[in-house]
Amino acid sequence: MHRQRVLGGLILLGAILIAAVLILIRSEPEEKPPEDLIPLVQAEPLEIRSGNLMITGAGTVRAREELTLAAEVAGKLVYVNPSLREGQRIARGATLFRIDTSDYRNAVQTAQADVASQNVAVMQAREEVTLAKAELDRFEQRGTSYGDAYANVDSSDYAAQILPPDVLNQRTETDNHQAIQKSPANGLATRQPQLRSARAGLRRAQANLANAQTALQRTVVRAPFSGIVRAEQIALGSYVQPGQSLGSMVSTADYEAIIPLSEKEAALIPQLFSAGSGNRIEASIYSDYGGVRYRWSAYVDRVNALLNPKTRTIDVYLRIPNPTRGGAPASVVAKDSKTATASSAPPLFVGSFVDAEITGKPLDSYAILPLSALKADNKVWLVRDGKLRIVTVNIYQRTDKSALVSTAGLGANPVAITGSLKIATEGLQVRIAKERSAIKTAKTSDSSPENAAKAKTTK
């Protein structure tokens, strides 16, 4: 027991000696400067442009001209164009389908016979008028020569039908040889109404002939323009009725895109409501296909003078000429690099959702601000000389990704903060964080073989 106490005292004494030695040989703590509490922010330089504002919008492409294929006359289909199928292209003037012409050719021949018959009737009526006038002139000459041309004429004579019956009762005095007064001839006696009736019958027959010829021409239906078949419900040998829908096709000469704009955005386009009347406002249409963005030229065709009751916006109609020729490659939208040529460009599709740019009013300068840099109350946080500056900007247009703002107060080469700060005050010192891509590039360059060789040589 005594031995254990002695051993414990020795261990305790040794521990005290070791602690004392460690305290004596310890080094002084390294002094460090106080930590820098300057906030780190994400920022990027703003793009400054000059010239015309490009008012952006989005909308849907639709066909400018679309028609329903239908028959104008009834009959059996004896021919259907093989290209008359959904999605196929049809050239202008191509025969779409034909209807059996047998009944319509017979109707034309019947109408031609009626016209020939009415021509004979008109000729006969014209000759009768000539004979009636000649007989009337003969009786008038007898009256001039003998004083009383109707002395031996009774009521049953043909002359009684030419002149009124009361003339037959008139007698001239032989002593003073007074001439008989002329009386107007009876209209029926001169055969003029019969001639007019024959001519009316001829016009009726000619109209019937024209209708028959028109019906015969309508048995062949041709494409009024070059287009694409949207739908078809037609089969060879089927019987069709006038007005029956047999399909539809859209014209490929021009498409149009409906772009809704707010009143503030529309006010940035000079003479917008006079577009189409000698005032051409240029525009561009953008659509993505296979990771590549393509562009088509367009212009403002017209503007709806009535507000859209649902969105309270102004609908601007952009006309797109030659949309099926393919657009010009504008930019690559996918992460992996893709090459595109005009030959590989797709046509613009009806019904596709597209972006649009419309030429607005010219400005000396304006800035393109990322939407993440726009703060509440149209504030922008700028970094100047390592300090935060708060500037209020005038927004021309705002989209889902960026905003077009005035350059007033931005200064030269502005850098805007795109991140957030817990406390943002004027003059606050800030640090701009390097982008990850820049850091990665720097690390890659440091680890390159040339830099490694230089570092080894330096050592």
Side-chain angles (χ1 to χ4, degrees), residues 32-177:
K32 295 182 178 180
E35 294 184 1
D36 192 358
L37 300 179
I38 299 176
L40 192 65
V41 296
Q42 297 287 341
E44 62 180 69
L46 302 183
E47 182 182 357
I48 305 298
R49 293 181 181 179
S50 61
N52 293 90
L53 278 174
M54 300 307 295
I55 308 304
T56 60
T60 305
V61 177
R62 72 177 188 182
R64 192 169 183 270
E65 293 182 349
E66 181 173 358
L67 61 83
T68 300
L69 302 178
E72 294 185 87
V73 294
K76 180 181 178 181
L77 293 178
V78 295
Y79 171 79
V80 176
N81 194 322
S83 298
L84 190 59
R85 293 294 180 266
E86 187 173 349
Q88 290 286 343
R89 293 177 180 268
I90 298 292
R92 179 179 180 180
T95 300
L96 299 178
F97 55 86
R98 286 199 300 266
I99 298 173
D100 187 13
T101 60
S102 301
D103 296 339
Y104 299 99
R105 288 199 303 268
N106 294 336
V108 169
Q109 293 178 359
T110 301
Q112 289 174 343
D114 291 341
V115 170
S117 176
Q118 289 298 324
N119 279 325
V120 173
V122 170
M123 184 183 302
Q124 182 178 356
R126 187 183 297 114
E127 292 298 327
E128 291 179 353
V129 169
T130 302
L131 293 175
K133 288 184 177 180
E135 188 173 357
L136 178 62
D137 292 340
R138 186 172 66 255
F139 278 107
E140 290 180 350
Q141 291 175 0
R142 288 173 58 187
T144 304
S145 303
Y146 302 103
D148 188 3
Y150 305 97
N152 298 323
V153 177
D154 56 18
S155 59
S156 62
D157 198 294
Y158 182 71
Q161 301 177 17
I162 299 177
L163 293 178
D166 55 351
V167 177
L168 300 177
N169 299 325
Q170 295 180 1
R171 295 293 185 268
T172 57
E173 297 180 0
T174 306
D175 299 331
N176 51 17
H177 302 285

Side-chain angles (χ1 to χ4, degrees), residues 284-305:
S284 298
I285 295 295
Y286 297 91
S287 180
D288 300 333
Y289 180 81
V292 180
R293 170 155 288 198
Y294 293 91
R295 174 187 175 275
W296 285 264
S297 298
Y299 60 91
V300 178
D301 183 53
R302 64 191 185 278
V303 182
N304 196 340

Side-chain angles (χ1 to χ4, degrees), residues 329-360:
S331 62
V332 177
V333 298
K335 293 183 180 179
D336 53 340
S337 177
K338 293 181 179 292
T339 58
T341 61
S343 59
S344 63
L348 187 61
F349 301 107
V350 172
S352 59
F353 190 75
V354 295
D355 297 324
E357 288 185 351
I358 305 174
T359 305

Side-chain angles (χ1 to χ4, degrees), residues 227-285:
I228 300 175
V229 178
R230 180 189 286 273
E232 51 87 17
Q233 305 91 28
I234 190 171
L236 184 64
S238 58
Y239 189 88
V240 296
Q241 293 289 346
Q244 178 183 349
S245 177
L246 302 177
S248 62
M249 63 181 296
V250 298
S251 173
T252 55
D254 298 285
Y255 289 167
E256 65 181 14
I258 306 175
I259 309 299
L261 298 178
S262 64
E263 295 182 14
K264 184 176 181 181
E265 293 170 340
L268 297 175
I269 304 176
Q271 300 180 351
L272 177 62
F273 291 94
S274 62
S277 57
N279 177 31
R280 188 181 177 96
I281 301 176
E282 299 293 338
S284 298
I285 295 295

Side-chain angles (χ1 to χ4, degrees), residues 312-326:
R312 308 299 299 173
T313 55
I314 299 173
D315 290 334
V316 178
Y317 297 84
L318 300 183
R319 188 169 180 176
I320 312 166
N322 302 320
T324 58
R325 291 186 178 179

Side-chain angles (χ1 to χ4, degrees), residues 434-448 451:
K434 292 184 179 180
E435 296 183 359
R436 292 183 179 180
S437 59
I439 296 174
K440 185 177 181 180
T441 304
K443 289 182 177 180
T444 304
S445 60
D446 292 341
S447 60
S448 61
N451 292 338

